[in-house]
Amino acid sequence: MAESSSKQPREERRSNTEESVHFAPDSSSLLSEDLFLCSICLDVFTDPVSTPCGHNFCMQCINTCWGDSGQCHCPFCKAKFTKRPELKNNTAFREYVDHFKNKSDLNKPEVLCDACIGEKQEALKSCLDCRLTLCKSHLESHNNMPKIKEHKLIDPLKNLEDYICQKHRRPLELFCRDDQMSACMVCTMTDHKKHNTVPVEEGIGEMKSQLEKTQTEVQQMIQDRLKKIKDIRHSVELRKRNTEKDKADSVEVFTSLICSIERSQAELLEVMEEKQKAAERQAEDLIKELEQEITELKRRDTELEQLSHTEDHLHLLQIYPSLCRPPHTKNWTDISIDTHLSVETVRNTLSQLQRSLNEMIIESELKMLQQYAVDVTLDADTAQTYLILTVGGKQVTHGDTKLSDNLPDNPKRFDRCPCVLGKEGFSSGRFYYEVQVKGKTEWDLGVVIESINRKGKTITLSPLKGFWTVVLRNENEYLACAGPPVLLSLRKRLQKVGVFVDYEEGLVSFYDVESRSHIHSFTGQPFTEKLYPYFSPCKNDGGKNSAPLIISPVSKT
């Protein structure tokens, strides 16, 4: 019989002893009672809250414990908090507490003795071997009679039958780790033969340890989500402040634009009134077209004003590039009127309007980008050994001699090329910084991925190699290193360069900070690694290029 029983499928064997598993709910209080007791009042939690160190208390208990004190500590582990934590109901853990209350046996009715005749006395123990629940007097035989002295005694239970194997009618005094269920001695020779079994107390201890581990994980998940909520709220507040600043900047920019247009229009009319009547009629036609463009500009102004209030961020991101470009306007260069003296006046006026519009849009854009300024510091561990860094890590220049042969040649360091990276890396969001390049004849600036090649005499500056850079060569030759270099046409010599990165958009843009103009942008770049600011002062060329690259503080005005 034992042999045939041992060959039953596991699913069938489990169903035969299914009732034996149900002793767990009654022992759940034994398993997890400590987990659900407040260490202050020693009772089951009421409105549980979590401290930053991860321990739980009743809301009223912890508030009473802390009183009006500004600096508090955890009553359990004594961890000190410099600022009084903001306590909120631990809703996830409260569900476990409520479930425990429903399943626990803390408020169970009194268990009475099975052996008493007449008025029954309160039971003291239950005997699994006798299958009786006994009071103190009827339990004396279990303490005195040798034959029954070894019987298995447990705390008194009404449902004692649940502690008896329904198949073998033996006490469930073992725990099968393989099947995670209770078992009797006969079960270990049949259904659980060759399984890993331990005394039920040991199994309960293991289950309790696992519950405590799970609770710790749940509490950590709660803390992570509370921190995420805090981060989201901070981001919304930061966005609100930035929006208010952007709105103020937009009003200022477009007010100046309207004033400039009106002033130019007045000047143009004043000049044209001095000319011949025939020239006035032609000029009025031009003015009508100009006014149509002004109407279009004002419409654009209204759109931008509306967008500054929009909450539809996705829509804003989609149309932002098109709105930042000046609207299409008529090319007035070849327009002429009968009086040739007025042609030059009109041309100059319109050109000035066009330049003013472009400059104001770029200035507005740059102001917005400067809101994302970060504090960049040079990383000495990446600097080539001929580079000289200031103590604060804000300036770098090239020296004639190697600084030291004792500097470690770590994988982060550039060994041949005069380059250095910023300490701070970025794997999301937007960031902006400015670098002074005044007085230099050669330099490199931009951002790079963490895994770039840092060894060897030649390093290829290309997005394909993880470099997004703008460089100066031969004193006045500016290039964007976009695979084949792109020659940049700039109106004036660069003194300070702004670098802006939008990681999610794959955008790297360079700006002339002094003239408030755009230099070059790399767009649609598939960033997957952390990005680092990149600097090269290039070789000092016998002192001709000895001026330093200086990371400048950003003026957010």
Side-chain angles (χ1 to χ4, degrees):
M1 288 295 293
E3 182 177 355
S4 61
S5 175
S6 65
K7 292 183 179 180
Q8 295 176 24
R10 178 171 297 182
E11 291 77 13
E12 183 179 345
R13 296 201 305 268
R14 289 179 65 98
S15 65
N16 289 339
T17 58
E18 185 177 1
E19 288 296 321
S20 65
V21 181
H22 292 296
F23 83 91
D26 293 305
S27 63
S28 63
S29 59
L30 190 63
L31 277 173
S32 50
E33 180 176 346
D34 291 345
L35 300 179
F36 300 106
L37 297 182
C38 172
S39 60
I40 297 178
C41 66
L42 302 180
D43 201 352
V44 179
F45 288 110
T46 301
D47 295 329
V49 294
S50 296
T51 56
C53 55
H55 294 115
N56 294 314
F57 303 94
C58 300
M59 173 72 84
Q60 183 176 354
C61 291
I62 191 66
N63 283 330
T64 302
C65 177
W66 286 348
D68 298 327
S69 175
Q71 293 186 346
C72 309
H73 68 275
C74 174
F76 187 83
C77 68
K78 307 305 179 185
K80 293 183 178 180
F81 314 121
T82 55
K83 182 180 179 182
R84 182 170 180 142
E86 181 182 354
L87 299 175
K88 295 183 179 180
N89 284 329
N90 190 334
T91 54
F93 183 54
R94 186 171 61 190
E95 293 181 4
Y96 286 93
V97 174
D98 292 342
H99 180 73
F100 169 77
K101 286 180 178 179
N102 293 333
K103 295 295 183 180
S104 67
D105 207 23
L106 293 178
N107 299 318
K108 63 184 178 180
E110 183 181 26
V111 181
L112 301 178
C113 177
D114 293 334
C116 288
I117 300 174
E119 184 179 355
K120 293 183 177 292
Q121 302 297 315
E122 182 180 356
L124 184 64
K125 292 288 182 179
S126 292
C127 177
L128 294 179
D129 295 273
C130 298
R131 297 166 199 164
L132 293 173
T133 298
L134 305 172
C135 63
K136 182 178 181 180
S137 60
H138 286 105
L139 196 63
E140 290 181 359
S141 59
H142 283 74
N143 297 325
N144 301 323
M145 296 179 64
K147 289 186 178 180
I148 59 176
K149 199 172 183 178
E150 299 301 323
H151 283 193
K152 182 71 173 180
L153 299 177
I154 62 174
D155 290 337
L157 296 169
K158 271 196 168 186
N159 56 336
L160 185 59
E161 190 67 16
D162 285 348
Y163 280 78
I164 305 300
C165 176
Q166 299 300 302
K167 184 175 182 180
H168 303 111
R169 307 307 298 173
R170 298 290 298 274
L172 292 167
E173 51 189 338
L174 298 172
F175 181 80
C176 177
R177 286 173 171 165
D178 296 320
D179 292 333
Q180 289 289 296
M181 61 185 296
S182 56
C184 70
M185 289 298 296
V186 179
C187 289
T188 62
M189 295 181 289
T190 55
D191 297 348
H192 299 276
K193 188 177 182 180
K194 297 183 179 180
H195 286 191
N196 184 4
T197 58
V198 295
V200 69
E201 293 83 1
E202 184 177 343
I204 288 174
E206 293 173 356
M207 293 172 68
K208 182 176 180 179
S209 298
Q210 182 59 43
L211 283 176
E212 291 174 345
K213 179 181 177 182
T214 302
Q215 182 192 11
T216 301
E217 293 173 352
V218 169
Q219 290 176 345
Q220 184 59 50
M221 291 171 66
I222 292 169
Q223 295 302 320
D224 292 344
R225 281 149 182 78
L226 289 174
K227 183 179 182 301
K228 189 65 175 178
I229 291 173
K230 183 178 179 181
D231 292 343
I232 291 173
R233 286 175 175 166
H234 175 72
S235 298
V236 171
E237 183 60 31
L238 182 62
R239 177 60 182 264
K240 182 180 179 180
R241 293 198 296 267
N242 290 339
T243 298
E244 293 300 320
K245 185 67 169 60
D246 292 345
K247 286 163 57 179
D249 291 342
S250 298
V251 170
E252 179 183 347
V253 169
F254 287 104
T255 300
S256 299
L257 176 60
I258 292 172
C259 291
S260 177
I261 293 173
E262 291 175 347
R263 183 173 58 253
S264 298
Q265 182 185 26
E267 292 174 356
L268 178 61
L269 291 174
E270 183 179 352
V271 171
M272 295 181 69
E273 285 175 358
E274 298 175 358
K275 306 302 178 180
Q276 305 162 8
K277 294 292 184 180
E280 289 181 353
R281 287 192 298 270
Q282 293 182 44
E284 288 173 358
D285 293 338
L286 295 175
I287 291 173
K288 288 180 180 179
E289 291 191 52
L290 283 172
E291 289 177 337
Q292 290 176 357
E293 290 188 356
I294 292 172
T295 301
E296 177 61 25
L297 290 174
K298 289 182 177 180
R299 186 186 64 79
R300 179 62 61 85
D301 180 13
T302 301
E303 291 179 353
L304 291 172
E305 176 64 19
Q306 292 173 348
L307 285 172
S308 69
H309 297 279
T310 185
E311 294 297 331
D312 189 350
H313 301 163
L314 178 60
H315 177 62
L316 178 59
L317 290 173
Q318 290 173 342
I319 67 173
Y320 175 79
S322 63
L323 288 179
C324 283
R325 294 193 296 271
H328 178 71
T329 58
K330 183 176 180 179
N331 185 355
W332 296 85
T333 305
D334 297 326
I335 301 298
S336 62
I337 55 176
D338 294 342
T339 304
H340 71 280
L341 293 176
S342 297
V343 172
E344 192 65 29
T345 303
V346 174
R347 181 182 296 117
N348 291 340
T349 302
L350 294 177
S351 297
Q352 182 59 42
L353 283 172
Q354 189 71 40
R355 284 195 298 271
S356 297
L357 177 61
N358 291 339
E359 290 172 358
M360 289 180 182
I361 290 176
I362 294 298
E363 182 176 8
S364 178
E365 178 183 351
L366 190 55
K367 282 184 177 180
M368 293 176 65
L369 300 185
Q370 287 174 332
Q371 306 302 316
Y372 299 99
V374 294
D375 184 18
V376 176
T377 304
L378 299 172
D379 185 357
D381 290 338
T382 67
Q384 193 240 14
T385 52
Y386 281 84
L387 295 185
I388 303 170
L389 277 61
T390 57
V391 175
K394 297 297 183 180
Q395 298 185 28
V396 58
T397 189
H398 185 267
D400 290 318
T401 58
K402 195 174 184 180
L403 293 182
S404 173
D405 291 326
N406 297 325
L407 290 175
D409 185 20
N410 61 61
K412 296 171 59 178
R413 190 180 305 283
F414 291 90
D415 63 346
R416 304 288 294 278
C417 294
C419 309
V420 61
L421 301 183
K423 283 184 179 180
E424 300 79 11
F426 304 88
S427 56
S428 64
R430 302 171 178 177
F431 63 95
Y432 173 87
Y433 61 95
E434 294 178 353
V435 183
Q436 180 179 308
V437 297
K438 183 178 180 180
K440 297 193 64 62
T441 59
E442 290 193 355
W443 50 258
D444 305 350
L445 286 177
V447 294
V448 300
I449 58 175
E450 188 171 17
S451 63
I452 55 164
N453 174 40
R454 310 182 190 201
K455 309 298 180 182
K457 186 176 181 180
T458 303
I459 291 179
T460 303
L461 300 181
S462 167
L464 295 177
K465 300 294 183 179
F467 292 79
W468 291 268
T469 57
V470 166
V471 305
L472 170 64
R473 297 290 183 264
N474 304 321
E475 195 169 347
N476 57 11
E477 186 178 334
Y478 296 97
L479 302 167
C481 301
V486 176
L487 183 63
L488 303 175
S489 178
L490 305 179
R491 289 184 297 181
K492 52 179 67 175
R493 188 175 179 82
L494 294 176
Q495 305 296 318
K496 186 183 290 186
V497 178
V499 183
F500 173 73
V501 176
D502 187 327
Y503 193 97
E504 282 73 21
E505 288 295 315
L507 173 68
V508 181
S509 294
F510 298 84
Y511 294 86
D512 180 350
V513 178
E514 298 296 323
S515 66
R516 318 292 285 181
S517 60
H518 176 255
I519 299 173
H520 183 78
S521 287
F522 296 91
T523 60
Q525 304 301 308
F527 298 140
T528 55
E529 295 184 39
K530 186 174 286 189
L531 297 178
Y532 288 84
Y534 165 81
F535 311 83
S536 175
C538 298
K539 295 184 177 180
N540 65 18
D541 193 18
K544 294 180 182 179
N545 191 35
S546 60
L549 290 177
I550 303 174
I551 301 172
S552 305
V554 176
S555 177
K556 302 177 183 179
T557 58

